[in-house]
Amino acid sequence: MAPVSESDSNNENWMSALPEELWDIPLTSLAIPGSHDAMSYCLDITSPLVRSESDTFRLLDGAFYCFTRPFIYRWATTQVKGIVEQLQGGIRYFDLRIAQRPYETSNDLYFTHVIYTQLTVVKTLHTVATWLSDHPKEIVILACSHFEGLSEKRHEDFIYSLKNLFGSKLCPCNADITLRGLWSSGHQVLLSYDDQAAAQHKVLWKGIPYWWANKANADELIQYLEWQKELGRPDGFFVAGLNLTADRCFIASHPQVSLKTLTMVNWEIVKRWLENQKPGADPTNLNVIAGDFVGFIPFCSLVIALNKKLLKERGP
């Protein structure tokens, strides 16, 4: 299946290219492309299951490893582009699930989605920091969560390493989060840390709500998102997840299907819905919009284009 993402190839500097009329709008009211399970492109198929998986599934995986692992890989892989390619394509929100591997002798942390990644957390985030230094007007939201296997001390050590890595790029929670304000201050990283360990650190933002439909087809996904819109958007940042999810019964009964093929089959319906959405501060407006296989489909360009609707609202 060939990629259909040519229109996502020129989004490297999309924030700095926004019209000046949008520079004073908070990021919470802009449409921002996000990557669901951003690091699942580098899963280590030989790694253990994450600690939160059930004992039943762990026993099944141990007994039928050669059968379960191809299925896990096909359904746990939500992205195919590397972190730099995602940045270049326009992704500015990254869903990062972090854990310490069991029996790991080093202090390295890894990303997870059912299993662990090959790349370590600090090495990956160093790559992000380098990219940001080369793109001083681009802002990213790093949403760190899950933290399986981390002790209180390990949290503090990790937070120290994050502060050391990003330094003055980290945006405090009370900062001006308009583009103009962030450019003026030099802040480029809004670091969401979904754990109570963040409470003592003014540069760590609280966990960001994520609308997850947990559905395997586009119609049910959209129905869920419309229901959430009727309830009204949360204050601050929030994520509307366009990602589809299949349960194990679905997976077992569709052996030729993968998350990638499921996403592609449903994409046109999701795309039509997405094109009709609006960013902004009103209750039914969207903010961060996250998807799977970003860069493989022209997702980023569609989300970025929604910001043009704000110009029409602010017109003469």
Side-chain angles (χ1 to χ4, degrees):
M1 187 180 294
V4 289
S5 60
E6 286 137 2
S7 60
D8 270 358
S9 60
N10 296 313
N11 296 324
E12 182 176 354
N13 297 293
W14 73 263
M15 285 183 156
S16 61
L18 286 176
E20 188 172 358
E21 296 93 318
L22 303 183
W23 293 359
D24 296 307
I25 295 177
L27 292 189
T28 51
S29 294
L30 292 180
I32 299 173
S35 176
H36 167 247
D37 271 305
M39 293 302 297
S40 63
Y41 65 87
C42 63
L43 293 174
D44 180 359
I45 199 170
T46 66
S47 73
L49 295 173
V50 296
R51 300 165 197 257
S52 57
E53 289 296 334
S54 68
D55 291 339
T56 301
F57 188 47
R58 202 175 300 280
L59 287 170
L60 181 66
D61 183 56
F64 302 101
Y65 183 90
C66 294
F67 175 77
T68 58
R69 286 307 166 121
F71 277 89
I72 289 172
Y73 196 76
R74 288 208 304 271
W75 287 96
T77 299
T78 67
Q79 306 297 339
V80 292
K81 300 290 186 180
I83 194 77
V84 171
E85 289 177 289
Q86 292 184 41
L87 285 162
Q88 300 281 83
I91 292 296
R92 296 295 178 267
Y93 166 93
F94 295 88
D95 170 23
L96 304 173
R97 306 180 186 198
I98 292 168
Q100 187 156 20
R101 286 198 194 203
Y103 315 115
E104 180 75 27
T105 55
S106 74
N107 287 324
D108 288 333
L109 298 177
Y110 294 83
F111 303 101
T112 69
H113 191 212
V114 185
I115 53 179
Y116 300 86
T117 57
Q118 300 174 45
L119 295 177
T120 62
V121 172
V122 171
K123 182 177 180 180
T124 300
L125 295 183
H126 187 274
T127 300
V128 173
T130 300
W131 189 91
L132 288 170
S133 294
D134 294 335
H135 300 80
K137 286 193 169 184
E138 298 302 301
I139 317 299
V140 298
I141 303 167
L142 304 179
C144 300
S145 65
H146 288 60
F147 303 112
E148 292 193 42
L150 272 69
S151 64
E152 183 176 340
K153 181 181 184 305
R154 192 66 190 91
H155 271 291
E156 289 304 318
D157 289 344
F158 180 44
I159 291 169
Y160 175 81
S161 68
L162 291 172
K163 288 181 174 181
N164 187 53
L165 175 60
F166 290 113
S168 61
K169 289 183 173 66
L170 287 173
C171 177
C173 300
N174 61 354
D176 177 357
I177 56 168
T178 64
L179 287 173
R180 195 187 302 272
L182 290 164
W183 293 341
S184 174
S185 65
H187 301 319
Q188 290 183 271
V189 179
L190 285 82
L191 183 54
S192 164
Y193 200 95
D194 193 10
D195 188 89
Q196 61 184 8
Q200 306 302 317
H201 303 273
K202 65 180 182 178
V203 293
L204 298 183
W205 294 62
K206 64 182 181 180
I208 297 174
Y210 193 111
W211 291 355
W212 176 47
N214 195 20
K215 302 296 182 182
N217 70 74
D219 291 330
E220 290 184 308
L221 166 72
I222 291 168
Q223 184 180 14
Y224 167 83
L225 293 174
E226 287 296 329
W227 172 70
Q228 286 284 15
K229 287 170 61 180
E230 288 177 11
L231 296 177
R233 58 160 291 168
D235 294 331
F237 291 105
F238 76 101
V239 184
L242 302 187
N243 47 293
L244 298 170
T245 305
D247 61 26
R248 284 168 187 161
C249 290
F250 181 97
I251 293 171
S253 60
H254 295 79
Q256 303 305 316
V257 179
S258 68
L259 183 58
K260 187 175 181 181
T261 59
L262 185 70
T263 300
M264 296 302 296
V265 165
N266 285 273
W267 169 242
E268 284 302 320
I269 297 173
V270 175
K271 176 185 174 184
R272 286 195 295 271
W273 179 85
L274 177 58
E275 289 171 333
N276 290 319
Q277 303 312 301
K278 294 170 61 176
D282 290 343
T284 59
N285 292 158
L286 299 186
N287 177 211
V288 179
I289 304 170
D292 288 338
F293 304 103
V294 299
F296 192 80
I297 52 179
F299 166 78
C300 290
S301 294
L302 289 173
V303 175
I304 294 165
L306 297 179
N307 290 304
K308 295 177 182 178
K309 298 182 181 183
L310 294 171
L311 292 173
K312 296 176 183 177
E313 293 178 357
R314 295 165 66 90

